[in-house]
Amino acid sequence: MNKKTKMSLLRIPILLVIFAVYFSPFYILLNISFKPVTDLSSRWKFPSAPTMENFQAAVEQGDILGALMHSFVIMVVTVLLIVVVGSLAAYPLARNRSRVNKVVKSFILGIMMVPPLSILVPLYSVLVDMGGINEYWGIILTLLTFELPMAIFLYTNFISSIPTALDEAAAIDGCGPVRAFFYIILPQLKSVTASVVILTGIHCWNDYQFSLYILQSSKMRTVTLAISSFFSQTTSNLNAASAAALLAILPVVICFLFLQKYFIKGMVDSAVK
């Protein structure tokens, strides 16, 4: 047995351990979701009599379907704005390497390092004055502000790897910068766009800190707020919360399965060189 074969065999138990570590939370979540509230057995043990009562409670008490709709609208609009604005902003930053653009890129990296909760109080005060509380545009504008720097960073590194000869050829054919971007550059951004869509989409879908303060009305609940509604100071319904969480992660998992090929390629191509 050569060294390469031994290394291949050694990877198998390591991969199995990694798989078990990552899969065990989903297995426990699945068990609790189908367990009756009266079943106090181990959470590792699958229920002998699975029930759908927890999913019924998630739909009726937690209004998880309405929360899924709110989260979907917020995520789709925010991600679309991030993709359009981020790619348009990254194009001149990648092509024009001036001192001003270097300062702008450093400023964008600096924004990515700012903890969102550190400016929550002034942000909330501004949204109150603007009337953005319990409004779609309030939470969308907030998420757009904090997710856009990462999108610009990824798009800038990816566009920098595209040869400038394509822009020069487009200019010779009479294309201006805007037409060159939409007809030449944008069609080549599929892989990095998939990465941006998945990363920012998951952040928007899982957002809790901003939604908790901006979407205070029960009619505007997102999935994270709907799940948290099953926990209070006096009572808690872990089984219904698990069922709601299981319903909440399904759209994200399905989206990732369809886009994972482009996601991996985009992350590799957008890496800092």
Coordinates of all heavy atoms in Angstrom, one line a residue, residues 26-58:
F26 N -28.9 18.7 13.3 CA -30.1 18.5 12.4 C -30.9 17.2 12.8 O -32.1 17.2 12.8 CB -29.7 18.4 10.9 CG -29.1 19.7 10.4 CD1 -27.7 19.8 10.3 CD2 -29.9 20.7 10.1 CE1 -27.1 21.0 9.8 CE2 -29.3 21.9 9.6 CZ -28.0 22.0 9.5
Y27 N -30.1 16.2 13.2 CA -30.8 14.9 13.6 C -31.6 15.2 14.9 O -32.7 14.7 15.0 CB -29.7 13.9 13.9 CG -30.3 12.6 14.4 CD1 -31.0 11.7 13.6 CD2 -30.1 12.3 15.8 CE1 -31.5 10.5 14.2 CE2 -30.6 11.1 16.3 CZ -31.3 10.2 15.5 OH -31.8 9.1 16.0
I28 N -31.0 15.9 15.9 CA -31.7 16.2 17.1 C -32.9 17.1 16.8 O -34.0 16.9 17.4 CB -30.7 16.9 18.1 CG1 -29.7 15.9 18.5 CG2 -31.5 17.4 19.3 CD1 -28.6 16.5 19.4
L29 N -32.7 18.1 15.9 CA -33.8 19.0 15.6 C -35.0 18.2 15.0 O -36.2 18.4 15.3 CB -33.3 20.0 14.6 CG -34.4 21.1 14.1 CD1 -34.8 22.0 15.2 CD2 -33.8 21.9 12.9
L30 N -34.7 17.2 14.1 CA -35.7 16.4 13.5 C -36.4 15.6 14.5 O -37.7 15.4 14.5 CB -35.0 15.5 12.4 CG -35.9 14.7 11.5 CD1 -36.7 15.7 10.6 CD2 -35.1 13.7 10.7
N31 N -35.7 15.0 15.5 CA -36.3 14.2 16.5 C -37.3 15.0 17.4 O -38.4 14.6 17.6 CB -35.2 13.6 17.4 CG -34.5 12.4 16.7 OD1 -34.9 12.0 15.7 ND2 -33.4 12.0 17.3
I32 N -36.8 16.2 17.8 CA -37.7 17.0 18.7 C -38.9 17.5 17.9 O -40.0 17.6 18.5 CB -36.9 18.2 19.2 CG1 -35.7 17.7 20.1 CG2 -37.7 19.1 20.1 CD1 -34.8 18.8 20.5
S33 N -38.8 17.7 16.6 CA -39.9 18.3 15.8 C -41.0 17.3 15.8 O -42.2 17.7 15.7 CB -39.4 18.6 14.4 OG -38.4 19.6 14.4
F34 N -40.7 16.0 15.8 CA -41.8 14.9 15.6 C -42.1 14.3 17.0 O -42.9 13.4 17.0 CB -41.3 13.9 14.6 CG -41.3 14.3 13.2 CD1 -40.2 14.8 12.6 CD2 -42.5 14.3 12.5 CE1 -40.2 15.2 11.3 CE2 -42.5 14.7 11.2 CZ -41.3 15.2 10.6
K35 N -41.5 14.8 18.1 CA -41.8 14.2 19.4 C -43.1 14.9 20.0 O -43.2 16.1 19.9 CB -40.6 14.3 20.3 CG -39.6 13.2 20.2 CD -38.6 13.3 21.3 CE -37.7 12.1 21.3 NZ -36.7 12.2 22.4
P36 N -43.9 14.1 20.6 CA -45.0 14.7 21.4 C -44.4 15.5 22.6 O -43.3 15.2 23.1 CB -45.9 13.5 21.9 CG -45.5 12.4 21.0 CD -44.0 12.6 20.6
V37 N -45.1 16.5 23.0 CA -44.7 17.3 24.2 C -44.5 16.4 25.4 O -43.6 16.7 26.3 CB -45.6 18.5 24.4 CG1 -45.2 19.3 25.6 CG2 -45.8 19.3 23.2
T38 N -45.3 15.4 25.5 CA -45.2 14.5 26.7 C -44.1 13.5 26.7 O -43.8 12.9 27.7 CB -46.6 13.8 26.9 OG1 -46.8 13.1 25.6 CG2 -47.7 14.8 27.1
D39 N -43.4 13.4 25.5 CA -42.3 12.5 25.4 C -41.1 13.1 26.0 O -40.5 14.1 25.4 CB -42.1 12.1 23.9 CG -41.1 11.0 23.7 OD1 -40.4 10.6 24.7 OD2 -41.1 10.4 22.6
L40 N -40.6 12.6 27.1 CA -39.4 13.1 27.8 C -38.2 12.2 27.6 O -37.2 12.4 28.4 CB -39.7 13.3 29.3 CG -40.9 14.2 29.6 CD1 -41.1 14.3 31.1 CD2 -40.7 15.6 29.0
S41 N -38.2 11.4 26.6 CA -37.1 10.5 26.4 C -35.9 11.3 25.8 O -36.0 12.5 25.5 CB -37.5 9.4 25.4 OG -37.9 9.9 24.2
S42 N -34.8 10.6 25.6 CA -33.6 11.2 25.1 C -33.8 11.9 23.7 O -34.5 11.3 22.9 CB -32.4 10.2 25.0 OG -31.3 10.7 24.4
R43 N -33.2 13.0 23.6 CA -33.3 13.7 22.3 C -32.6 13.0 21.1 O -32.8 13.3 20.0 CB -32.8 15.1 22.4 CG -33.7 16.0 23.4 CD -33.1 17.3 23.6 NE -34.0 18.1 24.6 CZ -33.6 19.2 25.1 NH1 -32.4 19.8 24.8 NH2 -34.4 19.8 26.0
W44 N -31.7 12.1 21.5 CA -31.1 11.3 20.4 C -31.9 10.1 19.9 O -31.6 9.6 18.9 CB -29.8 10.7 21.0 CG -28.7 11.8 21.2 CD1 -28.5 12.4 22.4 CD2 -27.8 12.3 20.3 NE1 -27.4 13.3 22.2 CE2 -27.0 13.2 21.0 CE3 -27.5 12.0 18.9 CZ2 -26.0 13.9 20.3 CZ3 -26.5 12.7 18.3 CH2 -25.8 13.7 19.0
K45 N -33.0 9.8 20.7 CA -33.8 8.7 20.3 C -35.0 9.2 19.5 O -35.7 10.1 19.9 CB -34.4 8.0 21.6 CG -35.2 6.8 21.3 CD -35.7 6.2 22.6 CE -36.6 5.0 22.3 NZ -37.2 4.4 23.6
F46 N -35.2 8.6 18.3 CA -36.3 9.0 17.4 C -37.6 8.5 18.1 O -37.7 7.4 18.6 CB -36.1 8.3 16.1 CG -37.0 9.0 15.0 CD1 -36.6 10.1 14.4 CD2 -38.2 8.4 14.6 CE1 -37.4 10.7 13.4 CE2 -39.0 8.9 13.6 CZ -38.5 10.1 13.0
P47 N -38.6 9.4 18.0 CA -39.9 9.1 18.7 C -40.5 7.8 18.1 O -40.5 7.6 16.9 CB -40.8 10.3 18.4 CG -40.2 10.9 17.2 CD -38.7 10.7 17.3
S48 N -41.1 7.0 19.0 CA -41.7 5.7 18.6 C -43.1 6.0 18.0 O -43.5 5.3 17.1 CB -42.0 4.8 19.8 OG -42.7 5.5 20.9
A49 N -43.7 7.2 18.3 CA -45.0 7.6 17.7 C -44.9 9.0 17.2 O -45.2 10.0 18.0 CB -46.1 7.5 18.8
P50 N -44.3 9.2 16.1 CA -44.1 10.6 15.5 C -45.5 11.3 15.4 O -46.5 10.7 15.1 CB -43.5 10.4 14.2 CG -42.9 9.0 14.2 CD -43.8 8.2 15.1
T51 N -45.5 12.6 15.6 CA -46.7 13.4 15.6 C -46.4 14.7 14.7 O -45.3 15.1 14.7 CB -47.2 13.8 17.0 OG1 -48.3 14.6 16.9 CG2 -46.1 14.6 17.7
M52 N -47.5 15.2 14.2 CA -47.4 16.4 13.4 C -48.0 17.6 14.2 O -48.2 18.7 13.7 CB -48.2 16.3 12.1 CG -47.6 15.2 11.2 SD -46.0 15.6 10.6 CE -46.3 17.0 9.5
E53 N -48.3 17.4 15.5 CA -48.9 18.5 16.3 C -47.9 19.7 16.4 O -48.4 20.8 16.5 CB -49.2 17.9 17.7 CG -50.3 16.9 17.7 CD -50.6 16.3 19.1 OE1 -49.8 16.8 20.0 OE2 -51.5 15.5 19.3
N54 N -46.6 19.4 16.5 CA -45.7 20.5 16.6 C -45.7 21.4 15.4 O -45.6 22.6 15.5 CB -44.3 20.0 16.8 CG -44.2 19.1 18.1 OD1 -44.8 19.5 19.1 ND2 -43.5 18.0 18.0
F55 N -45.8 20.8 14.2 CA -45.9 21.6 13.0 C -47.2 22.4 12.9 O -47.2 23.5 12.4 CB -45.7 20.7 11.7 CG -44.4 20.1 11.6 CD1 -44.1 18.8 12.1 CD2 -43.4 20.7 10.9 CE1 -42.9 18.3 12.0 CE2 -42.1 20.2 10.8 CZ -41.9 18.9 11.4
Q56 N -48.3 21.7 13.4 CA -49.6 22.4 13.5 C -49.5 23.6 14.4 O -50.0 24.7 14.1 CB -50.6 21.5 13.9 CG -52.0 22.1 13.9 CD -53.1 21.1 14.3 OE1 -52.8 19.9 14.6 NE2 -54.3 21.5 14.4
A57 N -48.8 23.5 15.5 CA -48.6 24.6 16.5 C -47.7 25.7 15.8 O -48.0 26.9 16.1 CB -48.0 24.1 17.8
A58 N -46.7 25.3 15.1 CA -45.8 26.3 14.4 C -46.6 27.1 13.4 O -46.4 28.3 13.3 CB -44.7 25.6 13.8

